[in-house]
Amino acid sequence: MEPLPKAYQHKDIESKWYRHCLEHRAFEVPETSSAPTFAVMMPPPNVTGVLHMGHLLNNTIQDILVRRARQEGKRVLWIPGTDHAGIATQTKVEKVLAKEGLSRQALGREAFIQRVKAWRNSHGDIISQQLQKLGISPAWEHKVHTLDPDYSRTVLHGFVELHKRGYIYRGKRMIHWCPISRTALSDEEVIMKPQSGFLYHVRYAVVETVGAFIEVATTRPETIMGDVAIAVHPDDERHRALIGKHVHSPIFGATILPIIADTAVDPTFGTGALKITPAHDRVDFEIGQRHHLPFIDIFNPDATLNNLAGKDFEGLDRFTAREKVVQFLEQRGALVKKFPHEHHVGFSERAGVPIEPRLSEQWFLRYPQIEKAQKVVQESQIHFRPQRWVKTYAHWLDNIQDWCISRQLWWGHRIPVWYPKGGDRNDLSKIHISIDGPPDPENWEQEEDVLDTWFSSAFWCLGTLGWPDRERFEPYKCFYPTNDLVTGPDIIFFWVARMIIMGLEFLVGEKGDEGSIPFRNVYFTGIIRDAKGRKMSKSLGNSPEPLELIEKYGADGLRLGLLSMAPQGQDVLFDETRIEQGRFFCNKLWNAFRFRQTHSFDPKENRSLETILRRLRPKYMGSAEHFVLSRLLETNRNCEQALADYEFQPALLQWISFFRNDYCDQYLEISKTAHEESHRTTTLAVQDFILRQLLISLHAWAPFITEELWQASGYSPYKTLLMQTHRPTSEELIEQLQSYGIVLSPTSVQEVHSLLQYLNALRALKARCGQASTRNSHVFYRTQEKERANVIEGSLPILLKMAGLKHCQRVEEALELPSETESEVTFFLDIAHPLDAETERHRIRDELSRVEKLIQLNQQKLKNPDFTSRAPAKAIEGARELLAAHLKKQSELKALLQNL
RNA sequence: GGGCGGCUAGCUCAGUUGGUUAGAGCAACGGAUUUACAUUCCGUAGGUCGUAGGUUCGAGUCCUAUGUCGCCCACCA
């Protein structure tokens, strides 16, 4: 056996075990098995994206879930993948083309798509390699990309079917138009941002009454050229007389606009008069329709003005045009006033520019299964964690609007609709819709638009399993519904809700709703922010580089640190020192094994739980052994309980604290004082027993170091991986111990608790008197209780060694020495220098007053008849015991004081 | 405008169904170390739980109001 190096070196160990797992296909789904299935679908990152902090948290959590499921003997399938990110990728490639003086139009559709593919293949999938560094364990051989041929067929099938069922339709509607990407967007892709702009009051001359004007308030004077009317509220006294009359356009004097009445106008806003520009505003569009007004679109697709805006403005950008129109109005005296105005403007999420409402032909989805989608979440067939997101989800479904699914892009799934060549596209009876297209393609032209990327990811839980292809789906059907989905709440509408809807719509069958939901649990992670709570962003430069973190702290250190600072569903304020703590923890774990191996260590004796248990002799089990094993079982139980509720952080902290405090600082230190050879075998076996369970339990968080130590300690003679090893429950461990004659004694555990309390008192006493000068000092103790004295006498060597003292002797009287009273025992420390009686008196008086306050508090409580009659017996009993304990302490402190 | 979440020690957070003297980690300060680990260990100090009311024998925990920060949703031009 090679001795372990002094410090844990993560680099070689990580790559060694990851390679091993890949070579042995350990992450792939077991071929056939009767074991219960467990499936997780990785939220597909953008194929050309790079790893960021959010991925780390998200994937670590998924990895914990699947590794633990494997330890439970389940047949696990974790499917990784990437998505094609239509708009983002196309935009990126178009920028590259622009630098070469090219455009996608100049290149043509086919050539352009080839360019994007080439770009994707060279820049793409870096993220999968980066994720491997994190040590996650998805079935890489099963990786899916949304534009893979098989997956594409899933998406197109979905489209064709939804159309057949009447949920997809084509229509001319007002949509959100992104002038940068030059495509329609869904409502979800538009984010409202507060903007400080101006509100302009413009006056329009009334035709019928010379010298009369109507004043209109607008934030967008550049759309005046598209005006078709002025609207006022029918009940608005100020304007009533003008209804039915006309005005001159302040830009085009010759243009005459009617003044109409419509209740959509808010008389309390601005001047109470609204200019109507149906082509460029949703409300105006509706008013225009109601009043059969014309529709004048003055914008080009890139939001520059077209010829309908007139010679003066044609070709200008919308914001330049705004300034020019204002100037124009000013010169003509039509601008009454202009003042700052705060309002909200819809921005394109991707391109970051204000969107334009625009009327155009698009494809829409009327969502199916809305009611069921509500129900399955309300009734927790799909369980959201944290639960509060249920409300957000429900609110969205309650106010759901049809989804614009067509995009005027080339990179994506081209809509499988064909129109007769040269025919009328609006004659829906003549169109062809199928996955493979018409048999005589020469007579047809395919729809140019592609589908929203989110439309394709709505089928993620179906397509990754091979649906709807019967042959491919059959072997994977058993993984549906999947178990856990781990994702961010920001895509609750974009993705989670839509997957639920598609599952409910398409996977109906034997199991009803229960069988059609795509997953049973959704765990929403928080967002990782910087230490100041700001979002991580490139421009702020506040995002650490994940790969550098792995390099510096190791994947295990990073995972442990990250999870230790991530409360359930709350945003995480990133703090690199926590990651460092994770690395420190790994090193301590490493050294606990080094320590173990310095003592008659033979890996063969660890080959199974039985070989360890056989070495445990009940009669040599001291109270420390009872204590530490009890704590192990308790920790294990608490951890399992926390994880059942998806409380990852508390679960981990349980183990960290057990390992550091109970195992290392207390148990190992105590065991160092045990010198008898007979005890030692048992002590070492207890260590092996604990370390074994520790590795199994921590493996999901820290896969690499645990695997290395697992193998190095001989726990796995047949090279079975830790994640394939059964993880015993506390109940199983209790049974195992019992079958070897070991029953943990609560009395022994209590004894150690007392011992630790006394140890703490002694250490505090020493620290107070000056550590160095009290090294190997004598200590005296006094107590009225025989049992207390027994505890102390029984563990004297431990107490003295761990406190760094030499002798301990019982006395009857209070001594004139510095003292510390704890649990009915007072310790006196024999110090070389004379006692500063005044300081000591002061200390005791302080403590006395504290104790007396508590005595009073409990006395009052017990005197209160309302308390004694209404409080539960447990609370009353507790108060009595407390009072008694405090009274004892009070008399002891008084005696000490008197003696000084 | 509607909804949600946070507000507990200098910082980051725990605090389960209301019940003993409100906890932990980090930071601070003081110390230790001849069977692993200074990437260690021990100890000390530090909060009255955003504010104000209320319910209750008893409230960080329940109710009402309010402040504040953040997020989501929403077509007032």
Side-chain angles (χ1 to χ4, degrees), chain A residues 162 165 167 365-376 393 397 400 497-508 513 516:
Chain A
L162 286 165
R165 299 177 191 188
Y167 293 113
L365 173 74
R366 184 167 58 82
Y367 290 94
Q369 306 289 350
I370 294 170
E371 275 171 37
K372 265 193 198 166
Q374 281 282 23
K375 191 170 143 254
V376 293
Y393 171 84
L397 279 175
I400 202 160
R498 288 164 176 172
M499 274 198 289
I500 293 173
I501 286 169
M502 292 311 170
L504 289 170
E505 175 63 17
F506 286 112
L507 233 76
V508 282
D513 293 353
S516 35

Side-chain angles (χ1 to χ4, degrees), chain A residues 427-633:
Chain A
D427 186 353
L428 296 178
S429 65
K430 297 239 168 67
I431 65 176
H432 174 99
I433 299 188
S434 71
I435 297 179
D436 298 307
D440 53 339
E442 63 280 5
N443 298 320
W444 301 82
E445 42 197 21
Q446 190 178 357
E447 167 67 58
E448 284 77 15
D449 292 354
V450 300
L451 291 163
D452 182 0
T453 305
W454 290 109
F455 182 85
S456 66
S457 37
F459 297 89
W460 192 241
C461 289
L462 294 165
T464 49
L465 295 177
W467 181 89
D469 186 290
R470 201 164 288 183
E471 223 167 276
R472 288 195 302 119
F473 187 44
E474 198 52 41
Y476 290 100
K477 219 174 160 178
C478 53
F479 290 103
Y480 195 97
T482 65
N483 297 74
D484 299 331
L485 180 75
V486 180
T487 189
D490 50 330
I491 53 177
I492 208 165
F493 316 134
F494 280 109
W495 196 45
V496 179
R498 288 164 176 172
M499 274 198 289
I500 293 173
I501 286 169
M502 292 311 170
L504 289 170
E505 175 63 17
F506 286 112
L507 233 76
V508 282
E510 313 97 85
K511 290 183 267 177
D513 293 353
E514 180 68 24
S516 35
I517 54 173
F519 28 72
R520 301 178 198 282
N521 297 292
V522 185
Y523 180 87
F524 292 108
T525 61
I527 297 169
I528 302 198
R529 301 172 173 278
D530 71 2
K532 292 177 190 155
R534 299 173 305 183
K535 265 194 180 167
M536 301 253 171
S537 77
K538 267 188 197 155
S539 54
L540 280 173
N542 58 352
S543 179
E545 176 53 55
L547 292 180
E548 282 171 20
L549 291 175
I550 293 174
E551 176 87 8
K552 217 164 144 191
Y553 303 106
D556 292 333
L558 174 60
R559 292 166 59 129
L560 290 166
L562 196 58
L563 267 286
S564 76
M565 65 174 135
Q568 191 192 38
Q570 211 91 279
D571 287 355
V572 179
L573 299 198
F574 185 79
D575 176 1
E576 196 166 326
T577 64
R578 296 291 287 267
I579 306 297
E580 198 182 22
Q581 296 295 317
R583 182 167 76 92
F584 293 170
F585 180 84
C586 290
N587 190 60
K588 193 162 176 72
L589 187 65
W590 186 260
N591 273 285
F593 279 82
R594 274 186 71 216
F595 177 65
R596 170 63 190 89
Q597 296 191 6
T598 55
H599 298 80
S600 61
F601 170 73
D602 179 0
K604 282 203 282 300
E605 294 184 329
N606 276 341
R607 59 151 55 97
S608 71
L609 202 50
E610 284 69 30
T611 57
I612 297 170
L613 283 159
R614 222 174 285 147
R615 291 183 277 134
L616 281 174
R617 290 286 139 77
K619 66 171 170 178
Y620 296 130
M621 294 259 304
S623 48
E625 278 71 33
H626 283 267
F627 166 80
V628 75
L629 286 174
S630 295
R631 284 288 302 128
L632 174 81
L633 298 175

Side-chain angles (χ1 to χ4, degrees), chain A residues 146 318 349 385 387 465 544 591 716 752 773 836 873 889:
Chain A
T146 43
R318 51 188 163 159
E349 192 198 24
R385 280 163 234 268
Q387 265 239 297
L465 295 177
N591 273 285
S716 176
V752 176
S773 64
D836 177 0
K889 186 156 189 179

Side-chain angles (χ1 to χ4, degrees), chain A residues 282-328:
Chain A
R282 287 199 163 198
V283 177
D284 292 10
F285 177 74
E286 283 163 24
I287 294 177
Q289 292 222 302
R290 277 199 285 278
H291 296 266
H292 309 290
L293 296 168
F295 180 97
I296 305 169
D297 185 349
I298 59 163
F299 283 159
N300 292 311
D302 62 353
T304 56
L305 277 67
N306 63 25
N307 60 345
L308 294 179
K311 272 205 304 288
D312 294 330
F313 306 106
E314 185 178 355
L316 294 180
D317 171 77
R318 51 188 163 159
F319 302 110
T320 319
R322 180 177 300 171
E323 284 166 33
K324 201 159 178 201
V325 167
V326 170
Q327 258 176 30
F328 186 94

Side-chain angles (χ1 to χ4, degrees), chain A residues 846-862:
Chain A
D846 279 354
E847 209 176 343
L848 197 56
S849 80
R850 201 174 60 84
V851 169
E852 279 168 349
K853 227 180 262 168
L854 292 170
I855 288 173
Q856 212 186 355
L857 201 123
N858 282 289
Q859 274 172 344
Q860 272 170 2
K861 224 185 211 181
L862 288 164

Side-chain angles (χ1 to χ4, degrees), chain A residues 546-799:
Chain A
L547 292 180
E548 282 171 20
L549 291 175
I550 293 174
E551 176 87 8
K552 217 164 144 191
Y553 303 106
D556 292 333
L558 174 60
R559 292 166 59 129
L560 290 166
L562 196 58
L563 267 286
S564 76
M565 65 174 135
Q568 191 192 38
Q570 211 91 279
D571 287 355
V572 179
L573 299 198
F574 185 79
D575 176 1
E576 196 166 326
T577 64
R578 296 291 287 267
I579 306 297
E580 198 182 22
Q581 296 295 317
R583 182 167 76 92
F584 293 170
F585 180 84
C586 290
N587 190 60
K588 193 162 176 72
L589 187 65
W590 186 260
N591 273 285
F593 279 82
R594 274 186 71 216
F595 177 65
R596 170 63 190 89
Q597 296 191 6
T598 55
H599 298 80
S600 61
F601 170 73
D602 179 0
K604 282 203 282 300
E605 294 184 329
N606 276 341
R607 59 151 55 97
S608 71
L609 202 50
E610 284 69 30
T611 57
I612 297 170
L613 283 159
R614 222 174 285 147
R615 291 183 277 134
L616 281 174
R617 290 286 139 77
K619 66 171 170 178
Y620 296 130
M621 294 259 304
S623 48
E625 278 71 33
H626 283 267
F627 166 80
V628 75
L629 286 174
S630 295
R631 284 288 302 128
L632 174 81
L633 298 175
E634 193 184 341
T635 302
N636 196 50
R637 210 175 288 125
N638 292 344
C639 168
E640 297 294 324
Q641 181 55 54
L643 284 174
D645 297 331
Y646 292 75
E647 298 270 13
F648 297 95
Q649 187 200 29
L652 173 61
L653 295 180
Q654 283 284 327
W655 282 111
I656 292 180
S657 141
F658 167 78
F659 173 69
R660 297 197 91 103
N661 306 327
D662 300 307
Y663 182 73
C664 292
D665 299 343
Q666 287 157 12
Y667 179 64
L668 287 188
E669 291 308 317
I670 289 174
S671 76
K672 283 179 188 174
T673 63
H675 290 297
E676 293 156 65
E677 204 52 43
S678 53
H679 285 65
R680 175 163 296 174
T681 311
T682 295
T683 303
L684 293 177
V686 166
Q687 288 184 29
D688 291 333
F689 183 86
I690 290 170
L691 292 173
R692 183 181 195 277
Q693 186 68 15
L694 189 67
L695 290 182
I696 294 177
S697 305
L698 280 174
H699 177 254
W701 277 276
F704 293 118
I705 186 172
T706 50
E707 190 67 58
E708 175 70 14
L709 291 171
W710 179 256
Q711 304 287 343
S713 301
Y715 287 118
S716 176
Y718 309 111
K719 293 270 175 241
T720 312
L721 291 166
L722 201 34
M723 69 176 173
Q724 294 156 344
T725 305
H726 171 68
R727 191 182 68 249
T729 64
S730 290
E731 284 59 42
E732 284 169 336
L733 291 175
I734 288 170
E735 237 171 72
Q736 293 271 16
L737 286 166
Q738 266 172 2
S739 66
Y740 284 83
I742 294 161
V743 177
L744 297 179
S745 141
T747 326
S748 303
V749 174
Q750 192 47 51
E751 241 176 73
V752 176
H753 273 295
S754 303
L755 169 70
L756 292 171
Q757 276 183 323
Y758 296 137
L759 178 62
N760 190 271
L762 285 171
R763 281 169 166 171
L765 183 57
K766 269 189 72 174
R768 187 147 57 80
C769 299
Q771 292 278 7
S773 64
T774 59
R775 182 180 313 150
N776 295 329
S777 286
H778 288 235
V779 64
F780 302 94
Y781 75 98
R782 140 186 150 105
T783 179
Q784 318 285 348
E785 310 293 323
K786 197 165 168 239
E787 279 173 37
R788 298 294 188 177
N790 286 346
V791 169
I792 293 174
E793 295 298 332
S795 44
L796 217 47
I798 296 172
L799 209 49

